[in-house]
Amino acid sequence: MAEIVSIQNVVKEYHLDKVVVPALRGVSLSVTQGDFLSIVGPSGSGKTTLLNLIGCVDVATSGTVLIDGHDTASLNDRQLTDLRLNTLGFIFQSFNLVPVLSVFQNVEFPLLLQRKFTKAERAGRVDELLEKVGLDKHTQHRPSELSGGQRQRVAIARALVTRPKIVLADEPTANLDSVTGENIIDLMKEMNRAEKTTFIFSTHDAKVMSHANSVIRLADGQILNGKGVPAGAH
Amino acid sequence: MSWFLLLLQTSLRNIFSSFLNVVIGLIILAGTFFFVVGGSLVDSMDKAMSRSIIGSVAGNCQVYEASSQDSPAIFDNWQIPDLDPIPDFSKIKGPLMSDPNVSAVVPEGVNTAIVVYGNTIDQVLEKLRKAVSPGTRQPQAVVDSLKAHVRQMVSVIQADMGKVNQVAATGAFDPQAGEDLKKASSDEFWNGFDRDPFNHLEFLENKIAYLIPDSDQIFLSYVGTDLDAYRKAFDRMEIVDGQMVPPGHRGLLLSKYVYEEMFKLKSAHRLDQIHEALTEKNKKIAKDPDLQDLVKQNRLETREIVLQLDPLSSQKAVSILQATLNSKETGLSELLSVFFDTDDSNFEARYKVFYDQLAPLVELYRLKPGELLTIKAYTKSGSVEAVNVKVYGTFQFKGLEKSGLAGGLSLMDLMSFRDLYGYVTPDKIAETKSLEKAAGVTFVPRDQAEADLFGGSASSDVEQGQQKAINDKAEMGGGAKVQRVDLTQQVYSQDEIDKGVVMGAAILLKDPSRLKETLKSLQDTCDKDGLDLKVIDWQKAAGNLGQFVFVAKAILYFATFIIFVVALVIINNAVVMATLQRVREIGTMRAIGARKSFVLSMVLTETVVLGLVFGTAGSALGSAFVVFLNHAGIPAANEFLYFFFSGPRLYPLLNSGSLVGAFIVVLVVTCVSALYPATMATRVSPIEAMASDE
Ligand SMILES: Nc1ncnc2c1ncn2[C@@H]1O[C@H](COP(=O)(O)OP(=O)(O)O)[C@@H](O)[C@H]1O
Ligand SMILES: [Mg+2]
């Protein structure tokens, strides 16, 4: 299967005043299309940093990040934005729905940004996804009227509505109780199967991790083992 | 398109999502409210005022001699501008009328004069003199009544002097005066009157009359104009009492305001003022020091009424007052004092008694339409000119009825005006010189020469004649210096009126909206024809008053400007704060693919939509308020506002310009104030979306 994410020797350092905080220290990683990959590791190990690099919301200090064949270091803000819009989908730990928009509108939002669909096309896609995530009865609700699990379902629908190649989820279950969290991971898995969308999600929950097809263990900014790039390589 | 709808939708929904937005909204709401209301008020005021000023005297523009030091200042009543005269109005009328936008050219000039008004006793003595004179003899009953009146006056003075003497140091009065009074009050004097009336009258005139110093000098401001042309051109003038001066005649129309203020019985005028304050301005005597002052003056100054009443009327007045006041007092003066000592509870009843019962006994006005008035003015050369002018009636300017600022102006025919102005044109001097030579006259006093030139109506001897009653001034002057004709009957042709000196002219336009162009083309015409005239617009010509509108407007617009600058700063800050509160949301949008431009337009649209929503609300409320004010009217609290409002109440009209202006201002203010926060929002990094909850 095609390689959708390729990361080579990526170093990410944060500069806090004069102190340099190394968040990733030479990470290499390859993700194939349709994977259901979990990044695990203790807090502060670099999971979020890694996902930000893959998600094109941040750039590496050194090393290369290839997303769907694009070298993110060579893209400008506009191009990165369009890459996020068209190729990536995001599920956030705190759901991050637009509070003033309805469930339907939240899901429709990325399609509007793409500006290439008619109203009917958009409605078709949104309704279809909302049905899949089990929220077809709640399309006109505001996020504030929903439970945490329901909100994350809306977020999943929003991440998938543009039919992205990759969906990134940074600790999508951290703000949910364990049963709801598992349901969410099940839903993601189902989507992964149905749509062949690549899912990369981080977690520090072993139960959640167990649903993954492959697992990458991070510690201290380095990969302990990895699919295709075993721990200790290089 | 749908993208824009999304923006709008997000914006609309965001409006009430944040407390800050509500704050911003309320500022905009208040701002637009005041803009719409204030704009409509100023505009209505401006329209009302310009209508009054243009339609009363000023016309749309004014012309005056270019070499003048000052420019016309019509409503600056007591400061007559230094204007050079235009020698011949007929020469400028044609060229000015040739402009297609000019509908009328009316000659005008403002001047002030002194009207000397005789003593009450002088007037009664004059009546008495007439009543006993061979040609105008009246029945003995009339003579007796007049005699009794004079005798009554003498006793009033005697009583007055007695009172004063008790208080003042002895010798404050000429002892001879006391003697004279004693004589004038004696039965002996009056018994002998009928045998030798003229000697007795002489005694009274010379020794007694001056002891009642109630003669008055009235300053009169007036516009000298071609009254017929004026009447046709100015729609704001309306006759109140009497009638219009007949075409081509000399005559004076007194301003109703001046008539009430200066010619009405003082006590009555004060009652009017109190009545108006109580009924129209909701004031209370108990609370208003000004009204208390008027009451006090009425209580103390009863003499004007007392002197007017002959014994019979006095008796009637006493019984009316006794009945009204339930009093046994017999002194008229004392009764009047009690009667005029009004408070809020009894005022209206006494007011009614005064007008229903007392007023018929007295002369409410010391001058009535149809009577002659002697007017004296200082000419430019410093000499005094005097003319007798028949007062045909009173008038007021619609909308400015109660304004002392505008009501100070009376209207005079152009011929009398020219006499009083005393200007002699160079060619007239030459003409006189040649006439003098032909007649062999070696010396003609200057004032007499002027008088002759202007139709011979001027009588320069008024100075010495001050003590005399005025209504027969024309006869009294004697034919020694000036040949007398009864000028009140003289009719002048349009040609005679036009040919001669004027101080300026008002120009009325067919299309007032083209004022600017017409001003320019008129000035061009004047320059081309070598007329040496300057053309100015009504606002300038109105003097300080014209500037007041401008100042009021400037203040309002400046205040609005300040309000909106403050609003701009506050809104800017509020939007910055609101944006900071939404960093996560904006970061999320950026993360899921929203471009910077989207974020920029989102913040801008939101603020503008917020502005428009609350701006619409503010405009709607403002409009509703203006409509309400239009029904209720805003009362003019003082005379100054009265002028601005052009009436007792301003009924403002909703001004569409203010509405449009409010929206433009809201758009500009919101856009400008949102610009910084919007660019700030574009700098929010998508990473912000990833941050976990604190
Ligand atoms: N914006 C930042 N500035 C400075 N240091 C950061 C920043 N983000 C993360 N780090 C540091 O980088 C390391 C990795 O953090 P992170 O990727 O958030 O780990 P995880 O998501 O696994 O908890 C940590 O030591 C953290 O303190
Ligand atoms: Mg993390």
Side-chain angles (χ1 to χ4, degrees), chain A residues 52 57-58 77-78 81-82 84-85 90 92-94 96 98-100 105 109 112-113 115 122 142 175, chain B residues 2-3 6 9 13-14 17 584-585 588-595 598 686-687 689-690 692-693:
Chain A
N52 283 354
V57 297
D58 207 351
D77 181 79
R78 162 80 68 97
T81 304
D82 290 349
R84 290 198 296 271
L85 176 61
F90 289 86
F92 306 91
Q93 183 181 326
S94 323
N96 293 17
V98 181
V100 297
Q105 287 167 326
F109 189 84
L112 285 164
L113 289 176
R115 299 207 219 179
R122 292 197 305 268
R142 294 294 183 88
N175 283 358
Chain B
S2 49
W3 178 77
L6 169 77
Q9 208 162 28
R13 299 203 167 191
N14 254 322
S17 68
R584 162 80 64 90
E585 184 186 328
T588 305
M589 289 181 176
R590 291 283 284 124
I592 64 180
R595 291 180 185 173
F598 175 85
I687 299 178
M690 311 295 168
S692 51
D693 290 332

Side-chain angles (χ1 to χ4, degrees), chain B residues 594-605:
Chain B
R595 291 180 185 173
K596 284 185 170 179
S597 56
F598 175 85
V599 173
L600 186 85
S601 16
M602 183 180 75
V603 176
L604 284 180
T605 316

Side-chain angles (χ1 to χ4, degrees), chain B residues 473-485:
Chain B
K473 189 74 72 193
E475 309 154 29
M476 183 206 98
K481 278 162 83 188
V482 185
Q483 179 202 342
R484 299 212 164 267
V485 206

